[in-house]
Amino acid sequence: MLTVNGQVSHWFDEQPAYRAPLPGDRDADICIVGAGYTGLWTAYYLKRADPSLRIAILEARFAGFGASGRNGGWLSGLVPGNRNAMAERYGREPVVAWQRALNETVDEVAAVAAAEGIDAGIVKGGTMEIARNAAQANRLADELHEDRRWGVDGIAPLTKGEAAERIRFDGVVSAYHTPHCARIQPAHLARGLADAVERLGVPIYEQSPVTAIGRGRAVTPHGTVRAPIVLRATEGFTPTLPGLRRRWLPMNSSMIATAPIPDERWAAIGWDGCETVGDTAHGFFYAQRTVDNRIAIGGRSVPYRYASRIDDDGRVPPRTITRLTAVLHSLLPQIRDVPIAHGWCGVLAVPRDWESTVTLDRASGLGWAGGYVGHGVTATNLAGRTLADLVVGRSTTLTELPWVGHHSRGWEPEPLRWLGVRGLYLAYRLADRHEARGRATTSPIARVADLITGRP
């Protein structure tokens, strides 16, 4: 079987037909740049709040082309930032409220999908985090303690036997399960949400790359949309815009998907609960059992391209597919003979302090949300609802959350950021090897890397 490389991602059964581009200059009340989850959710909740609003969405390629259509399909309560750092700056209770809001948002997304008839393969099986050596087990115990300290309920530690009853991974030392996550088919959610937004009367202009954003306008090769409110929802593509090259770093994450796995093999594996699965290695993996009975697994490979360059429609180096295949086979040696059907990658946005934000500057009319550091599937819905409240001038519990108005400084110029990011992930790779040799605690190599970069 030939492994497909790129072509955006496995989540698209085929490349969708394009919507029409912007047909010339337009006036609107609100212009949204980017038709990924953030832009679509924002439009959805704005139109629900005030059906009279004239909203226009501009998209460079097609709805869901970016991370929204390429991610690991974790609709999780994971915080897109560092809770401790945010609490030091804004206080503990706002961060607890943020965590609680994200957990509740998992159910909000599922409810909207059901109401709008979006078949996104949503199964709320929770997440199983596993450890495969002593150092990982210690970090896993720390994670469980931290989650409980921040008020995350329903977390359960699992013995090796209890973990194996769920999924029979090889070499598991310890595990825990949290209920605050659902498996989804991410492209189906993005495309279904785009259709729902159009039904509400919001035009989505695809093939309309924005070349400049300014006060009251968004400029494309096909024309300019003029609006008193312009919202940027460009996530990992933000550095392609003028003046924003160093605002957020476009970090790459890669995935592979197997061919469909036969039922008799699933009987040997388990995974009947459709849990999402991750581990506590520094070069961590994340995985799901897909709607079409494959395993999709992701992780870091080439973490960053020099000068914030973006991938070519999701294409990855062949060594990335080889590396992720090795991770999968170490976890589930019983599927070594199952072919790898697809490999791809996408970009996620990382602010310099690893903290996401939702912001509206009333003076300029410019707003933005993003920097989700890889935890954006759920956070985008919360961000969209929050931006909607900010735009219509509602003071709500969402507008009081600590990420509202948060500002991060820019990244260093090249070649410093390339050297820093590549050095960071080399250090984590070495740290994983160090710990795999039997070290009981986190490798000092990883601790120093975290300290230098400010990574949570």
Side-chain angles (χ1 to χ4, degrees), residues 1-36:
M1 177 185 231
L2 180 65
T3 301
V4 176
N5 190 338
Q7 297 183 20
V8 185
S9 80
H10 166 72
W11 305 122
F12 291 96
D13 301 323
E14 58 184 6
Q15 296 296 293
Y18 283 107
R19 293 174 171 87
L22 181 70
D25 294 345
R26 287 289 185 273
D27 291 328
D29 298 315
I30 300 158
C31 177
I32 297 173
V33 181

Side-chain angles (χ1 to χ4, degrees), residues 139-169:
R139 283 196 296 277
L140 192 72
D142 289 343
E143 279 189 15
L144 190 151
H145 172 75
E146 275 291 288
D147 279 345
R148 285 176 168 169
R149 192 168 72 85
W150 289 105
V152 181
D153 60 352
I155 306 172
L158 304 175
T159 65
K160 289 174 60 175
E162 288 169 335
E165 287 176 5
R166 291 177 177 270
I167 310 168
R168 285 176 278 284
F169 288 127

Side-chain angles (χ1 to χ4, degrees), residues 68-368:
S68 299
R70 308 191 203 184
N71 63 79
W74 285 37
L75 180 64
S76 80
L78 290 168
V79 170
N82 184 326
R83 291 173 296 199
N84 290 304
M86 291 292 270
E88 286 179 9
R89 188 163 178 176
Y90 302 108
R92 173 179 167 78
E93 287 309 310
V95 177
V96 170
W98 189 30
Q99 176 68 80
R100 187 179 302 118
L102 285 160
N103 290 346
E104 292 169 352
T105 298
V106 176
D107 294 326
E108 168 70 10
V109 173
V112 173
E116 297 291 346
I118 301 171
D119 183 6
I122 298 175
V123 178
K124 194 177 181 184
T127 294
M128 190 167 82
E129 285 282 333
I130 66 172
R132 303 181 73 209
N133 60 45
Q136 290 181 22
N138 282 325
R139 283 196 296 277
L140 192 72
D142 289 343
E143 279 189 15
L144 190 151
H145 172 75
E146 275 291 288
D147 279 345
R148 285 176 168 169
R149 192 168 72 85
W150 289 105
V152 181
D153 60 352
I155 306 172
L158 304 175
T159 65
K160 289 174 60 175
E162 288 169 335
E165 287 176 5
R166 291 177 177 270
I167 310 168
R168 285 176 278 284
F169 288 127
D170 194 56
V172 171
V173 173
S174 63
Y176 76 77
H177 179 266
T178 174
H180 302 293
C181 189
R183 184 280 313 272
I184 69 167
Q185 210 285 15
H188 287 183
L189 177 61
R191 302 297 293 179
L193 183 56
D195 292 342
V197 166
E198 284 188 315
R199 287 195 297 271
L200 291 173
V202 178
I204 301 172
Y205 300 112
E206 297 183 340
Q207 311 171 79
S208 302
V210 170
T211 56
I213 295 174
R215 185 189 292 260
R217 72 185 190 283
V219 181
T220 82
H222 307 295
T224 297
V225 175
R226 293 180 176 86
I229 301 290
V230 180
L231 304 176
R232 190 182 78 238
T234 48
E235 191 59 0
F237 295 88
T238 299
T240 64
L241 292 166
L244 298 175
R245 171 81 52 149
R246 291 163 53 192
R247 179 63 57 84
W248 293 334
L249 186 141
M251 190 80 75
N252 294 285
S253 197
S254 303
M255 296 197 72
I256 58 172
T258 68
I261 296 172
D263 289 345
E264 62 271 16
R265 203 70 62 87
W266 281 117
I269 295 169
W271 218 330
D272 298 327
C274 293
E275 301 91 339
T276 57
V277 182
D279 73 344
T280 53
H282 302 293
F284 57 87
F285 79 85
Y286 50 94
Q288 66 149 282
R289 177 176 178 172
T290 70
V291 173
D292 54 354
N293 278 324
R294 306 167 190 258
I295 294 173
I297 184 169
R300 299 284 186 260
S301 176
V302 179
Y304 173 70
R305 293 176 171 85
Y306 190 84
S308 296
R309 293 197 305 271
I310 306 299
D311 63 83
D312 180 16
D313 283 10
R315 187 170 180 83
V316 294
R319 67 180 182 276
T320 295
I321 296 173
T322 300
R323 186 174 296 157
L324 288 173
T325 302
V327 172
L328 175 60
H329 289 171
S330 73
L331 288 162
L332 292 167
Q334 57 268 51
I335 61 165
R336 284 183 178 274
D337 61 334
V338 176
I340 302 302
H342 205 144
W344 72 96
C345 71
V347 293
L348 53 103
V350 179
R352 186 60 182 86
D353 62 358
W354 298 75
E355 303 290 353
S356 55
T357 186
V358 180
T359 298
L360 177 65
D361 177 16
R362 282 285 174 191
S364 65
L366 299 177
W368 54 89

